[in-house]
Amino acid sequence: MNKPLVNPEIGQQIRDWRPYYEAKLGFRNHWYPVMYSADLAEGEVKPGKLLGEDLLVRRSGGTVYCIKDQCLHRGVPLSRKVECYGKDTITCWYHGWTYQWADGKLCDILTDPSSKMIGTRSLKTYPVQEAKGMVFVFMGDLVGDSAPPPLATDLPPGFLDPDRAAYGIRRLVKANWRLGAENGFDTTHIFIHKDSPFITGRDSALPLGFASAGTLQLDLREDPAASRGVVDVMAQHYRPLFEATLDGQTVLRTRAPTGKHNTIHTISLWMPGILSVENHPEADMVQYEFYTPHDADHHMYYQVIEKSGVTDAAQEAAFRAECESLHEPLALRGINDDDLWAREAMQGFYADDWGWLEEQLFEQDRNLLEWRRLASRCQRGIQTLAHVQGGA
Amino acid sequence: MNKPLVNPEIGQQIRDWRPYYEAKLGFRNHWYPVMYSADLAEGEVKPGKLLGEDLLVRRSGGTVYCIKDQCLHRGVPLSRKVECYGKDTITCWYHGWTYQWADGKLCDILTDPSSKMIGTRSLKTYPVQEAKGMVFVFMGDLVGDSAPPPLATDLPPGFLDPDRAAYGIRRLVKANWRLGAENGFDTTHIFIHKDSPFITGRDSALPLGFASAGTLQLDLREDPAASRGVVDVMAQHYRPLFEATLDGQTVLRTRAPTGKHNTIHTISLWMPGILSVENHPEADMVQYEFYTPHDADHHMYYQVIEKSGVTDAAQEAAFRAECESLHEPLALRGINDDDLWAREAMQGFYADDWGWLEEQLFEQDRNLLEWRRLASRCQRGIQTLAHVQGGA
Amino acid sequence: MNKPLVNPEIGQQIRDWRPYYEAKLGFRNHWYPVMYSADLAEGEVKPGKLLGEDLLVRRSGGTVYCIKDQCLHRGVPLSRKVECYGKDTITCWYHGWTYQWADGKLCDILTDPSSKMIGTRSLKTYPVQEAKGMVFVFMGDLVGDSAPPPLATDLPPGFLDPDRAAYGIRRLVKANWRLGAENGFDTTHIFIHKDSPFITGRDSALPLGFASAGTLQLDLREDPAASRGVVDVMAQHYRPLFEATLDGQTVLRTRAPTGKHNTIHTISLWMPGILSVENHPEADMVQYEFYTPHDADHHMYYQVIEKSGVTDAAQEAAFRAECESLHEPLALRGINDDDLWAREAMQGFYADDWGWLEEQLFEQDRNLLEWRRLASRCQRGIQTLAHVQGGA
């Protein structure tokens, strides 16, 4: 069949998280964000890409639809020249093959209305749901009339709470999605943020690292009917470091907390690849990071800040203004821009799969290993090249 | 040996046109245009590329010669720095190996005139013939003194008629040559031309599509001593569509013919990949399109308009002026520029060979299937990577 | 394991120089220049690349150290953001893993000073030696306390002579290192220099080629305790050509020597890939050329002119001024710039390894064959992809 997506010889040497190793293009049968709702006006058609598959999304009559961006006939992208002659259909610019947005059915062929193929086949469609200003797509294979699992099972707990306002940005990062997720959940990667304007630009504190203090206690959530993830209540077992020494000499020192800012957050990583950082960038906020598989070498990085207790439009406008003026420049960009190049710096080592064998993890990486194992147990399928190219 | 040019596993699933599938670099032992005669002045040396092979062409004493552009010694391109010290030879810039244009024989080595290799080996040469302002090369392997098949067997019938004037342009297209040929012969691809300035800019008509009307009758020409191809007399079995409807509503309407312009042409596709469109762009003209294999991902697209009954220089000049002012901007570019991006849009689906299995052809594509089968039966050989790299 | 670096099927057809064929990334366990001493000031850290491996070099306390530029932990390049908090160590910017420059030992982890991994593993280090203004690295694997072979065994004889002054430049060339070495040692490649400003710009002479005159006598040096190489005393068996004829007509003529300039030099090629051209660019000078493997498709080309009898600073300054004003523009660039594009022109033919079978060598290439055989006998190991990616 197809050339394998990952080196199978390496996979044989990975015991308890082989599905995670194989999921270079992500896990199938999960919900993923494809764009922000605000970027898709009524009637608009926009391309998207998830797990290596090219998609086309349309908002029509208030509902958002998602189809595979590839005509059944000769495989061309419908997005190359979008032709919608009604609100329910899209017509391929090449030979007039016309599909229904709702179910993908080939409902007409404009160049040959008598073709016997009409009505007999369908373009792949994917379920869509909108929430918190994001358009989510279920990248999976439903049998018969079965419904996809609830969107909430593929989001961190609380993400959908009705009293929360959300503010988000996104960008494409040149690193596999797993390197994005591991960079975020990795506790000691905080070392790279020591020069961040988030610390230097205002009265805040961020440790240089987190030394172990006691036994690692991770909370594994695996109920298939709920969010599944690894929760690390860092305060229980990490000691923040504000100084670093070499040969007894202090070589680095960072601002210690003044009490105003909490330096130890609870962090958690949820299926199918979403980080939650509590009390960040402010005490009453949570920062979420979606590491969405784009292709084998890129992930789309969605960063969303949520604030609780936002119940009216004035509060929401104030939150939005605060994000635009403060949290986006200092946190979403100020801090996280460092993470982008860190992930890209890892990509070379892992690109040909050998890094997964050659890496040498240390004590502080145990939460990453737990994540790999949990993800391998809880995943609902593995995206393959056959899904991308057809033939699956 | 070499890495295979196409995925053999896919080839095993293709029954009656496997040679066509394998001919990603084109068919060997056929004639192909390498440039226009006007682009090669007396004495000039110019590089060319056919079927993945780098060539060097020279006009000397009125005759055109063609050699492989690769020194036998260390494999360097002679074209990197052309050194011709006489009208009959070319000398490699690197070590002075000197070849005869006529037969490729290594006739001297300037850095060592006593070398025993002189006279004992030859660079690959290819027969050349000029016709209708084009330089044709026979990309094949002749045994002993055998002559190549007549040029006319690799051209559409009538192309060489003495009373015809020809006007042509060419460009390189980022799509395999077969996608070029199939785009041209494909009857319903006409749907992409509905916005073309060819229609909107003057009093002409072009249907939106061609619905079947009766049984498909194709004329298959397979006499090995003549032109071999598939002729589709479209008027016999297609009904032109000037309106398209969806759910009973007319969604598209194009100008219907006024009688001045014929909208149904006879189209035919000839070995080794040349389209003929009769009565186009005017009733007394034929448009030919050569989809010449350049490499696996590109074809050189030669577009030639011929007009009959041109017997003196004044008529030829008038025809040329008409082409320059009208047919080139409105037909060769106005219409066919759409075809370029259509072919390039198909390339992604077919590039790794899987598209040939995954495509879903419909009734109107039967002429393409007949073409694939006829080409598989009539081809004289398949170009391989060994021909390109040496070792064949 | 890894994908093989070279096509093994081709290797099976090469009898007496297979190791040379396999050494696409160079020979291991040899000394190679990584930069010029002048480009590394006290305290500076600079990246380098040899045999496909990314390296990091530092001068500290007058000593130069070399480590592999890849953190053991997650494989990131340390060079992406250099952090040295003391003169003896380098700290990874990502998680604070800290290594000793001298032995590579993981001596601390700033984000977790209590990690049990500290002291238990080491980054790969390579021995360094400076000589004649160049920083040499021993790209090899030493067992226990064993010392590398003397630097002099990987340099041409005389190169280290104390009374010699050296002047050098370097550039990266888009050709495998073996094509660089063979271009330099190849006697008849001199044909490409016929238009060089080295001849046309001053009163000097350079033949068009060297015809055989008598039996080829090559001096093979294979004492493992000394420099190993092939010495070609060209005056013994080559006759310089100042005219070229075709069909009895003189087609090329170049300036013959006036007596001032010697046109026949002794040339030699030494392990692991260093050319020596005696009496060039002046009678009392030697030009050395290092074809240092960079990656499979590039070599770093170091060109060094040495002059004997330079014993004080004034003489050295005069030599330097002469090189800057005369020899660098006319010889190192004027002549050798032609060699750069000649090597790059060969690269396409050899890039996929087939060129090593398809090439057709002639009498004048016997010194190249001797070099391939000697290199195959004298090499101390072959660089593999596993050395580059880890896992070796």
Side-chain angles (χ1 to χ4, degrees):
Chain A
M1 261 283 294
N2 282 297
K3 177 165 151 293
L5 176 62
V6 290
N7 187 328
E9 188 193 336
I10 293 173
Q12 286 164 12
Q13 298 179 57
I14 292 174
R15 201 163 314 173
D16 47 3
W17 44 275
R18 197 181 302 175
Y20 183 77
Y21 165 74
E22 293 169 345
K24 198 173 194 168
L25 280 176
F27 292 121
R28 196 156 175 88
N29 296 307
H30 292 269
W31 290 93
Y32 294 93
V34 73
M35 63 186 62
Y36 285 106
S37 295
D39 294 332
L40 190 70
E42 170 60 28
E44 268 195 309
V45 175
K46 290 254 177 98
K49 187 171 194 139
L50 286 174
L51 286 62
E53 287 186 58
D54 290 309
L55 305 172
L56 206 54
V57 174
R58 186 186 200 190
R59 187 188 300 279
S60 181
T63 303
V64 181
Y65 301 98
C66 178
I67 59 175
K68 194 170 176 87
D69 183 19
Q70 187 179 65
C71 185
L72 294 174
H73 179 208
R74 303 297 304 255
V76 298
L78 302 173
S79 61
R80 184 64 185 76
K81 183 164 176 267
V82 171
E83 300 192 11
C84 292
Y85 295 111
K87 64 181 185 46
D88 300 328
T89 60
I90 183 166
T91 296
C92 181
W93 50 266
Y94 203 172
H95 303 87
W97 288 38
T98 300
Y99 304 95
Q100 291 175 172
W101 279 101
D103 58 8
K105 191 195 277 182
L106 176 67
C107 61
D108 227 310
I109 298 182
L110 298 193
T111 59
D112 185 4
S114 61
S115 170
K116 293 208 170 67
M117 301 191 77
I118 294 170
T120 66
R121 53 207 71 201
S122 296
L123 200 57
K124 178 89 189 162
T125 59
Y126 291 108
V128 179
Q129 221 168 307
E130 286 189 276
K132 296 291 172 195
M134 303 177 88
V135 178
F136 291 93
V137 172
F138 181 72
M139 292 299 295
D141 307 297
L142 299 176
V143 180
D145 289 334
S146 64
L151 170 61
T153 64
D154 281 333
L155 288 172
F159 183 85
L160 296 175
D161 284 359
D163 73 333
R164 292 193 179 186
Y167 178 88
I169 63 171
R170 71 170 193 176
R171 37 254 180 91
L172 191 64
V173 184
K174 285 181 197 150
N176 184 267
W177 72 275
R178 295 165 299 180
L179 301 179
E182 299 196 357
N183 167 261
F185 197 39
D186 167 354
T187 53
T188 54
H189 90 278
I190 200 166
F191 188 70
I192 66 170
H193 297 308
K194 57 189 174 298
D195 306 321
S196 170
F198 184 79
I199 310 179
T200 57
R202 60 180 213 154
D203 177 27
S204 88
L206 214 59
L208 289 172
F210 294 100
S212 307
T215 309
L216 181 72
Q217 294 170 316
L218 295 173
D219 185 3
L220 305 185
R221 309 280 181 85
E222 306 196 41
D223 175 356
S227 310
R228 283 122 320 121
V230 180
V231 181
D232 191 341
V233 184
M234 296 179 65
Q236 291 178 348
H237 51 86
Y238 286 119
R239 184 171 51 84
L241 298 176
F242 296 95
E243 259 191 41
T245 59
L246 275 178
D247 278 336
Q249 303 287 319
T250 296
V251 294
L252 276 175
R253 181 177 287 133
T254 191
R255 181 183 302 181
T258 59
K260 179 182 171 200
H261 294 285
N262 181 6
T263 62
I264 294 274
H265 309 304
T266 291
I267 58 170
S268 46
L269 188 53
W270 301 90
M271 293 296 288
I274 311 155
L275 186 75
S276 162
V277 183
E278 299 183 19
N279 300 323
H280 180 81
E282 298 282 350
D284 57 351
M285 297 179 182
V286 184
Q287 180 170 322
Y288 296 101
E289 306 190 4
F290 295 74
Y291 313 100
T292 306
H294 184 79
D295 59 25
D297 302 321
H298 295 82
H299 65 280
M300 187 64 83
Y301 178 42
Y302 289 84
Q303 301 167 265
V304 179
I305 299 173
E306 283 193 354
K307 183 186 172 92
S308 303
V310 177
T311 51
D312 63 33
Q315 286 174 327
E316 186 155 354
F319 167 65
R320 183 165 187 86
E322 182 185 338
C323 284
E324 285 176 348
S325 62
L326 183 63
H327 304 311
E328 180 175 334
L330 279 184
L332 301 186
R333 301 199 189 271
I335 293 181
N336 295 128
D337 282 4
D338 288 332
D339 294 311
L340 294 205
W341 67 256
R343 297 176 209 163
E344 294 180 0
M346 272 192 285
Q347 176 66 13
F349 189 62
Y350 290 88
D352 68 357
D353 308 329
W354 283 98
W356 300 105
L357 277 189
E358 302 292 341
E359 62 178 13
Q360 301 191 27
L361 302 185
F362 75 136
E363 294 88 339
Q364 309 296 339
D365 294 321
R366 281 173 300 183
N367 59 343
L368 301 185
L369 281 172
E370 287 300 335
W371 154 249
R372 294 179 187 179
R373 291 179 193 122
L374 177 136
S376 296
R377 290 190 301 265
C378 296
Q379 49 85 23
R380 300 188 189 120
I382 289 168
Q383 181 80 348
T384 67
L385 281 179
H387 289 111
V388 174
Q389 299 166 336
Chain B
M1 260 283 293
N2 282 297
K3 176 166 151 294
L5 176 62
V6 289
N7 187 328
E9 187 193 336
I10 293 172
Q12 284 164 14
Q13 298 179 57
I14 293 174
R15 202 163 312 173
D16 47 2
W17 45 274
R18 198 181 302 175
Y20 184 77
Y21 165 74
E22 293 170 346
K24 197 173 193 168
L25 281 176
F27 292 120
R28 198 158 174 86
N29 296 307
H30 291 270
W31 291 94
Y32 295 94
V34 72
M35 63 187 63
Y36 285 106
S37 294
D39 294 331
L40 190 70
E42 171 61 27
E44 268 195 310
V45 176
K46 290 254 178 97
K49 187 171 195 140
L50 286 174
L51 286 63
E53 286 187 57
D54 290 308
L55 306 172
L56 207 54
V57 174
R58 187 186 199 192
R59 187 188 300 278
S60 181
T63 302
V64 181
Y65 301 97
C66 178
I67 59 175
K68 193 169 174 91
D69 183 19
Q70 188 179 64
C71 185
L72 294 174
H73 180 208
R74 304 298 303 257
V76 298
L78 302 172
S79 61
R80 185 63 184 79
K81 184 163 176 266
V82 172
E83 301 192 10
C84 291
Y85 295 111
K87 64 181 183 47
D88 300 329
T89 60
I90 183 166
T91 296
C92 181
W93 51 266
Y94 203 172
H95 303 87
W97 288 38
T98 301
Y99 304 95
Q100 291 176 173
W101 280 101
D103 58 7
K105 191 195 277 181
L106 176 68
C107 63
D108 227 310
I109 298 181
L110 297 193
T111 59
D112 184 5
S114 61
S115 169
K116 294 205 172 66
M117 301 190 78
I118 295 169
T120 65
R121 55 205 73 199
S122 297
L123 199 58
K124 178 90 190 161
T125 60
Y126 291 108
V128 178
Q129 221 168 306
E130 285 188 277
K132 296 291 171 194
M134 303 176 87
V135 178
F136 292 93
V137 171
F138 181 71
M139 292 299 296
D141 308 297
L142 299 176
V143 180
D145 288 335
S146 64
L151 170 61
T153 64
D154 282 331
L155 289 172
F159 183 84
L160 297 175
D161 283 0
D163 73 333
R164 291 194 179 185
Y167 177 87
I169 64 171
R170 71 169 193 177
R171 38 254 180 89
L172 191 63
V173 184
K174 285 182 197 149
N176 185 268
W177 73 275
R178 295 166 298 181
L179 301 179
E182 299 197 357
N183 166 260
F185 197 38
D186 168 354
T187 52
T188 54
H189 90 278
I190 200 168
F191 188 70
I192 66 171
H193 297 308
K194 59 189 172 297
D195 307 320
S196 170
F198 184 79
I199 310 178
T200 58
R202 59 180 212 152
D203 178 28
S204 88
L206 214 59
L208 290 172
F210 294 99
S212 306
T215 310
L216 181 73
Q217 294 170 317
L218 296 172
D219 186 4
L220 306 185
R221 309 279 182 85
E222 306 196 40
D223 175 357
S227 309
R228 283 124 318 122
V230 179
V231 181
D232 190 342
V233 184
M234 294 178 66
Q236 292 178 347
H237 50 86
Y238 287 118
R239 183 172 51 84
L241 297 175
F242 297 94
E243 260 192 39
T245 58
L246 275 178
D247 277 337
Q249 303 288 318
T250 296
V251 295
L252 277 174
R253 180 176 289 137
T254 190
R255 182 182 303 181
T258 60
K260 179 181 172 198
H261 294 284
N262 181 6
T263 60
I264 295 274
H265 309 304
T266 290
I267 57 171
S268 46
L269 188 53
W270 302 90
M271 292 296 287
I274 311 157
L275 185 75
S276 162
V277 184
E278 297 182 20
N279 300 323
H280 179 82
E282 298 281 351
D284 58 350
M285 299 180 182
V286 184
Q287 180 170 321
Y288 296 102
E289 307 190 5
F290 295 75
Y291 313 100
T292 306
H294 184 81
D295 59 26
D297 303 319
H298 296 81
H299 65 280
M300 187 65 84
Y301 178 43
Y302 289 83
Q303 302 166 264
V304 179
I305 299 173
E306 283 194 353
K307 183 186 171 91
S308 302
V310 178
T311 51
D312 63 32
Q315 287 174 326
E316 185 154 356
F319 168 64
R320 183 165 187 84
E322 183 185 338
C323 286
E324 285 175 349
S325 62
L326 182 63
H327 304 311
E328 179 175 334
L330 279 185
L332 302 186
R333 300 199 190 271
I335 294 181
N336 294 128
D337 281 4
D338 288 330
D339 294 311
L340 294 205
W341 67 257
R343 298 176 209 164
E344 294 180 2
M346 271 192 286
Q347 175 66 14
F349 188 64
Y350 290 88
D352 67 356
D353 308 329
W354 283 98
W356 300 106
L357 277 190
E358 303 292 341
E359 63 178 14
Q360 301 192 27
L361 302 186
F362 76 136
E363 293 89 340
Q364 309 296 338
D365 295 320
R366 280 172 300 181
N367 60 342
L368 301 184
L369 280 171
E370 287 301 334
W371 154 249
R372 294 179 187 178
R373 292 180 194 121
L374 178 137
S376 296
R377 291 190 300 265
C378 295
Q379 49 84 24
R380 302 190 188 118
I382 290 167
Q383 180 80 348
T384 66
L385 281 178
H387 289 112
V388 174
Q389 299 166 338
Chain C
M1 262 281 295
N2 281 297
K3 176 166 152 293
L5 176 61
V6 289
N7 186 329
E9 187 194 337
I10 293 172
Q12 284 164 14
Q13 298 179 57
I14 293 173
R15 201 164 312 173
D16 48 1
W17 46 274
R18 197 181 305 176
Y20 183 79
Y21 165 74
E22 293 170 344
K24 196 172 195 169
L25 281 176
F27 292 121
R28 197 155 174 89
N29 296 307
H30 291 271
W31 291 93
Y32 294 93
V34 72
M35 63 187 62
Y36 285 106
S37 295
D39 294 332
L40 190 70
E42 170 61 27
E44 267 195 310
V45 175
K46 289 253 179 98
K49 186 170 195 141
L50 286 174
L51 285 62
E53 287 187 57
D54 289 309
L55 305 172
L56 207 54
V57 174
R58 185 186 199 189
R59 187 188 299 279
S60 181
T63 302
V64 180
Y65 301 97
C66 178
I67 59 175
K68 194 170 175 87
D69 183 20
Q70 188 180 63
C71 184
L72 295 174
H73 180 208
R74 303 298 303 256
V76 297
L78 302 173
S79 60
R80 184 64 184 76
K81 184 163 176 265
V82 171
E83 300 192 10
C84 292
Y85 296 111
K87 66 181 182 48
D88 301 328
T89 60
I90 182 165
T91 295
C92 181
W93 50 266
Y94 203 173
H95 303 87
W97 288 38
T98 301
Y99 303 95
Q100 292 176 172
W101 280 99
D103 58 7
K105 191 195 276 183
L106 176 66
C107 63
D108 226 310
I109 297 181
L110 297 193
T111 58
D112 185 6
S114 61
S115 169
K116 292 206 169 69
M117 300 190 78
I118 295 169
T120 65
R121 56 205 71 201
S122 296
L123 199 58
K124 178 90 190 160
T125 60
Y126 291 107
V128 179
Q129 221 168 307
E130 285 188 279
K132 296 292 173 194
M134 301 177 88
V135 177
F136 292 93
V137 171
F138 180 72
M139 291 300 295
D141 307 297
L142 299 175
V143 180
D145 289 334
S146 64
L151 170 60
T153 63
D154 281 333
L155 288 171
F159 183 85
L160 296 175
D161 283 0
D163 75 332
R164 291 193 179 185
Y167 177 87
I169 64 170
R170 71 169 192 176
R171 38 253 179 91
L172 191 64
V173 184
K174 285 181 198 152
N176 185 268
W177 73 274
R178 294 164 299 180
L179 301 180
E182 299 196 357
N183 167 260
F185 197 38
D186 168 353
T187 54
T188 53
H189 90 278
I190 200 167
F191 188 71
I192 67 170
H193 297 308
K194 56 189 174 297
D195 306 320
S196 171
F198 184 80
I199 310 178
T200 58
R202 59 180 213 153
D203 178 27
S204 86
L206 214 59
L208 289 172
F210 293 100
S212 307
T215 310
L216 182 73
Q217 294 169 318
L218 295 171
D219 186 3
L220 304 183
R221 310 279 182 87
E222 306 198 38
D223 175 356
S227 309
R228 284 124 317 123
V230 180
V231 181
D232 190 342
V233 184
M234 294 179 65
Q236 291 178 349
H237 50 86
Y238 288 118
R239 182 172 53 84
L241 298 175
F242 296 95
E243 259 191 41
T245 59
L246 275 178
D247 276 337
Q249 303 288 318
T250 297
V251 294
L252 277 175
R253 181 176 288 133
T254 190
R255 182 182 302 181
T258 61
K260 180 183 171 198
H261 295 284
N262 181 6
T263 60
I264 295 275
H265 310 303
T266 291
I267 57 170
S268 46
L269 188 53
W270 302 91
M271 293 294 290
I274 311 156
L275 185 75
S276 162
V277 184
E278 298 183 19
N279 300 322
H280 180 83
E282 298 281 352
D284 57 351
M285 299 180 182
V286 184
Q287 180 170 323
Y288 296 102
E289 305 190 6
F290 296 75
Y291 313 99
T292 306
H294 184 80
D295 59 26
D297 302 320
H298 295 81
H299 66 279
M300 187 64 84
Y301 178 42
Y302 290 84
Q303 302 167 265
V304 178
I305 299 172
E306 283 194 353
K307 183 186 172 91
S308 303
V310 178
T311 52
D312 62 32
Q315 287 174 325
E316 186 155 354
F319 167 65
R320 182 166 187 83
E322 183 185 337
C323 285
E324 285 175 347
S325 62
L326 183 63
H327 304 311
E328 179 174 335
L330 278 184
L332 302 186
R333 301 198 189 271
I335 294 180
N336 295 128
D337 282 5
D338 289 330
D339 294 311
L340 295 205
W341 68 256
R343 297 175 208 163
E344 294 179 0
M346 272 193 285
Q347 175 66 14
F349 189 63
Y350 290 89
D352 67 357
D353 307 329
W354 283 97
W356 300 105
L357 277 191
E358 303 291 342
E359 62 179 13
Q360 301 192 28
L361 302 187
F362 75 136
E363 295 88 340
Q364 309 296 340
D365 294 320
R366 281 172 300 183
N367 60 344
L368 301 184
L369 280 172
E370 287 301 335
W371 154 249
R372 295 179 187 178
R373 292 181 192 120
L374 178 137
S376 296
R377 290 190 300 266
C378 295
Q379 49 83 25
R380 301 188 187 119
I382 289 167
Q383 181 79 350
T384 66
L385 280 178
H387 289 112
V388 174
Q389 299 166 337

